[in-house]
Amino acid sequence: GIGPLLEELRQVDPEAAERLHPADEKRILRALEVYLETGEAITEHNRKTQAVPPRYSPIWLGLDFAQRGELYRRIDLRVSLMLQQGLVEEIQGLLADGIPEKATAMQAIGYKEFVDALDGRCTIEEAADLVRQSSRRYAKRQLTWFRRNKAIHWLIRDTGDTGREILENARRIVSDFDN
């Protein structure tokens, strides 16, 4: 179980062990892996990494839609397109090649739902609806996370805007940044 591994982490990196939730197996394992591979606690590694000045001065550009419904419409369209382009067949091929359905890559949005459908736990259309819903939630979480970054220059796509107009707005921002 994870308990003994958390105890081992507590011995080599008490700060990380205190910070991590006991059920966060992935981060506990990652912290131990870093220590075992480098001899350095992940807490110390992170401190050193954060102390290094950035090499570049990035320009942060974010894309959003003026109407949330347009974002959701495009997500729905993307899911339909993925199905038309053979996503289910791709998943069948991966499973046939021996990729376990519990593999990390198979847990991605769009894969795990269709694995359930292929196993008969739901229909393909129910799986597609779950992918649409999960993708919308993920997009919302991404926007929430990115909005915390005050350095982002937001490009807001309004109904009728073309990709070219968005690109020109981005170019203007970059050009202003260079000057």
Side-chain angles (χ1 to χ4, degrees):
I2 198 69
L5 294 174
L6 182 57
E7 261 321 299
E8 187 176 337
L9 179 61
R10 196 175 316 282
Q11 300 303 311
V12 297
D13 190 351
E15 196 174 328
E18 186 63 32
R19 185 180 66 251
L20 296 174
H21 190 279
D24 195 348
E25 290 185 28
K26 286 183 182 177
R27 285 191 175 89
I28 292 169
L29 289 172
R30 178 68 181 136
L32 279 172
E33 286 172 351
V34 167
Y35 178 75
L36 293 172
E37 287 294 320
T38 67
E40 181 176 59
I42 197 164
T43 301
E44 186 57 30
H45 170 78
N46 290 344
R47 276 192 197 105
K48 287 179 181 176
T49 302
Q50 292 166 356
V52 174
R55 271 190 196 169
Y56 307 102
S57 297
I59 301 171
W60 294 85
L61 300 175
L63 177 62
D64 197 1
F65 291 85
Q67 303 296 319
R68 183 62 49 94
E70 178 62 14
L71 171 63
Y72 292 165
R73 185 189 71 76
R74 291 176 67 91
I75 288 170
D76 292 350
L77 183 64
R78 179 176 166 266
V79 172
S80 296
L81 187 60
M82 288 168 31
L83 284 169
Q84 289 172 12
Q85 292 177 338
L87 177 61
V88 173
E89 293 78 10
E90 176 186 332
I91 294 167
Q92 287 172 320
L94 291 169
L95 294 169
D97 286 344
I99 304 295
E101 70 177 63
K102 295 296 182 193
T104 301
M106 295 295 270
Q107 298 305 304
I109 296 171
Y111 283 78
K112 61 184 169 196
E113 295 85 357
F114 289 111
V115 166
D116 286 347
L118 291 171
D119 283 346
R121 293 187 286 265
C122 65
T123 67
I124 294 291
E125 192 49 46
E126 288 169 334
D129 286 342
L130 286 171
V131 172
R132 290 179 186 104
Q133 182 181 41
S134 296
S135 296
R136 288 185 199 121
R137 287 180 181 153
Y138 186 62
K140 188 173 185 210
R141 284 193 310 272
Q142 285 179 318
L143 287 168
T144 298
W145 190 83
F146 279 115
R147 283 192 182 112
R148 294 187 314 212
N149 183 343
K150 301 302 179 198
I152 291 181
H153 300 271
W154 285 98
L155 301 164
I156 307 299
R157 186 164 187 176
D158 212 341
T159 306
D161 286 349
T162 65
R164 182 162 299 287
E165 291 167 319
I166 295 294
L167 178 61
E168 288 307 315
N169 287 336
R171 284 183 174 153
R172 247 188 315 279
I173 291 168
V174 171
S175 176
D176 291 347
F177 191 80
D178 284 341
N179 296 329

